[in-house]
Amino acid sequence: MLPPKHHARSTRGFIVVAVLWILAALSALVLIYLTFVTNTAVVVAASTDRVQADALATAGVELAAYQLTAVKQEARPSSGTFNARIGAARVSVTFRSEAARIDLNAAPKGLLTGLIVGLGGAPSNAADYADRIIAWRAATEAGDDDPETSSYRTAGFAYTPRHAPFPQAEELWLVRGIPPPVIERMLPFVTAFSNMPAINILDAAPQVVAALPDMTPARLQAVLSQRGDAGSDPRSVLALVGGEGATLAASRAYRMTINIDFDSGRRTAAEAVILLLEEGDEPYRVLSWRNAADGGTSPLRAGLR
């Protein structure tokens, strides 16, 4: 039997060890709780930032839509830009009619071919790529006997041509026989929303203007120079082009780029395409929406190919 004093010391030692274990466990619990609170705060802050950014981008679209619908269609600008102060952020909006792009659903073969050649495609291949695009969108009643449909099956594709309009330009990734680098170069200059066979000569990018029939480098330079002159008559620019494939009209679909600068220094952006509605309760319909955090078109290609 242990002496009383020795027994007391052993008991106290056991109690001290137990207390230390309890303190260590409490410390671990506190550390876990602090980690949870910190991570939760980060997630909530990121979520709040995204909600604020989405709200500001929506406000930018609303303001642009109001400016466009506040005037009659014949007087509606085909492009423009403005800035607005909204809460603790500065919102910059640039809008442009989709007629500035080549419509995959309406453009003739010559315009599609001209764009591909202008972007570096070989003329001998460009016409074939244009044929593939037109065949994808063209309706057919032949079913599985359709030559284009058969060519996809023969090539081992798990799908066949839509034989209907492109719902979005990124569907180009599905069209058989067009090399990915060609599609990458085309996407910034094409659309599925203008519903116009011609392009707006005042707003189109130089690469799009260059795709017009019989466009030479000298004529292209003259067109770009004349349309850049604020005092020039737009009709004279159209006459310089020759009129075929070109127009001064705007589409009812507009592409908008919204840049948001927060007072905190954070920046974000969004891109939307809307269709202005002439009737009904809503002034517009959103056709496409992409936030800066959503990335580019490569994930879509990877998922579809």
Side-chain angles (χ1 to χ4, degrees):
M1 182 174 179
L2 293 172
K5 289 185 179 180
H6 183 77
H7 178 73
R9 285 197 299 271
S10 299
T11 302
R12 287 197 298 269
F14 174 78
I15 293 173
V16 169
V17 171
V19 169
L20 289 176
W21 273 107
I22 292 171
L23 290 175
L26 289 174
S27 297
L29 288 173
V30 170
L31 180 60
I32 293 171
Y33 177 74
L34 289 175
T35 302
F36 170 76
V37 170
T38 301
N39 290 340
T40 301
V42 170
V43 170
V44 170
S47 177
T48 301
D49 288 347
R50 180 62 180 264
V51 169
Q52 289 179 339
D54 286 348
L56 289 168
T58 299
V61 171
E62 294 277 355
L63 289 171
Y66 173 77
Q67 288 191 21
L68 291 167
T69 56
V71 296
K72 294 182 179 180
Q73 185 173 355
E74 55 270 18
R76 187 175 295 162
S78 60
S79 62
T81 184
F82 66 88
N83 300 317
R85 180 75 185 180
I86 304 176
R90 180 175 177 270
V91 180
S92 302
V93 180
T94 299
F95 59 88
R96 190 179 305 276
S97 163
E98 282 292 89
R101 296 181 174 220
I102 294 174
D103 193 296
L104 294 173
N105 295 319
K109 179 179 177 179
L111 197 55
L112 292 169
T113 303
L115 176 66
I116 296 169
V117 171
L119 296 176
S124 57
N125 295 328
D128 181 60
Y129 300 157
D131 283 336
R132 299 280 70 74
I133 293 171
I134 293 172
W136 178 273
R137 76 192 192 196
T140 181
E141 297 180 357
D144 291 340
D145 295 329
D146 172 64
E148 190 69 12
T149 299
S150 299
S151 70
Y152 278 72
R153 296 195 185 282
T154 302
F157 285 82
Y159 57 88
T160 56
R162 180 177 290 275
H163 291 305
F166 285 82
Q168 56 182 341
E170 284 79 6
E171 196 170 81
L172 266 178
W173 291 117
L174 292 176
V175 178
R176 177 182 66 86
I178 305 180
V182 174
I183 296 175
E184 287 277 11
R185 293 194 291 268
M186 288 180 67
L187 285 176
F189 307 109
V190 297
T191 182
F193 303 129
S194 81
N195 198 32
M196 296 174 61
I199 56 109
N200 186 300
I201 195 64
L202 301 180
D203 295 326
Q207 295 90 333
V208 175
V209 178
L212 291 169
D214 302 322
M215 183 60 64
T216 64
R219 180 180 291 182
L220 173 63
Q221 193 58 42
V223 170
L224 297 179
S225 177
Q226 190 162 332
R227 77 175 189 179
D229 182 359
S232 64
D233 185 347
R235 290 171 298 183
S236 65
V237 180
L238 185 62
L240 184 60
V241 173
E244 185 179 357
T247 182
L248 299 177
S251 166
R252 290 196 296 120
Y254 280 79
R255 186 176 299 264
M256 302 178 181
T257 302
I258 306 101
N259 292 298
I260 303 168
D261 293 280
F262 289 92
D263 291 346
S264 63
R266 190 171 66 88
R267 305 183 68 184
T268 187
E271 181 184 81
V273 180
I274 67 169
L275 177 68
L276 300 179
L277 304 176
E278 304 299 330
E279 300 177 353
D281 297 331
E282 298 295 329
Y284 67 89
R285 179 189 309 137
V286 175
L287 302 177
S288 172
W289 188 288
R290 178 169 295 161
N291 294 307
D294 294 337
T297 59
S298 295
L300 177 66
R301 174 184 62 180
L304 295 179
R305 279 290 184 181

